[in-house]
Amino acid sequence: MMNFVVKTLANAGALGVAIWLLQDITLTGESTGKKALTLILVALVFGLVNVLVKPIVQLLTLPLFILTLGLITLVVNALMLLLTSWLAEQFDLSFHVEGFWTAVLGGLIISVVSWALNVVLPDGD
């Protein structure tokens, strides 16, 4: 359970950094508390997308992964971020990613920050 909480907080932090750095990734809300709650909910959706959908997409793109020496991972991460944006819209969460190239850069930022936070944060169960 602790591992789930830590990974969700790391995802929220990474999403927060991407929102802060890129003007085309937006999170809106009336107050700071509302924004924080939305960010946690979006991190949960992002985590679910990465657990449920990403392995299937990675399996289907395995030949491209080998052919591109792993660079297709940037595209897969961007697609997962765009799917998260679409799902957030369906759940009426005020999170939006504008465009594919923004999603590529956002996915790269989220990957790096999430990795760094997972190294620093404890992950015991």
Side-chain angles (χ1 to χ4, degrees), residues 4 12 14-15 27 31 55 65 71 77 81 86 96 101-102 106 109 114:
F4 173 75
L15 284 164
L27 178 79
S31 65
F65 182 82
L71 288 177
N77 287 343
L81 189 56
W86 180 79
H96 183 68
W101 292 110
T102 300
I109 291 169
S114 181

Side-chain angles (χ1 to χ4, degrees), residues 68-113:
T68 64
L69 302 175
L71 288 177
I72 193 72
T73 305
L74 293 172
V75 174
V76 170
N77 287 343
L79 293 174
M80 296 305 107
L81 189 56
L82 286 171
L83 179 59
T84 300
S85 175
W86 180 79
L87 287 171
E89 184 179 317
Q90 302 308 307
F91 291 122
D92 202 30
L93 298 172
S94 55
F95 173 78
H96 183 68
V97 178
E98 184 66 39
F100 176 75
W101 292 110
T102 300
V104 170
L105 188 55
L108 184 61
I109 291 169
I110 291 168
S111 295
V112 170
V113 173

Side-chain angles (χ1 to χ4, degrees), residues 30-73:
E30 294 113 28
S31 65
T32 304
K34 190 107 170 154
K35 284 182 182 179
L37 178 62
T38 302
L39 187 59
I40 295 294
L41 292 174
V42 169
L44 285 170
V45 170
F46 187 65
L48 285 173
V49 165
N50 280 329
V51 166
L52 299 175
V53 178
K54 190 173 182 178
I56 297 167
V57 173
Q58 285 178 327
L59 183 63
L60 294 174
T61 60
L62 186 61
L64 287 174
F65 182 82
I66 294 167
L67 186 65
T68 64
L69 302 175
L71 288 177
I72 193 72
T73 305

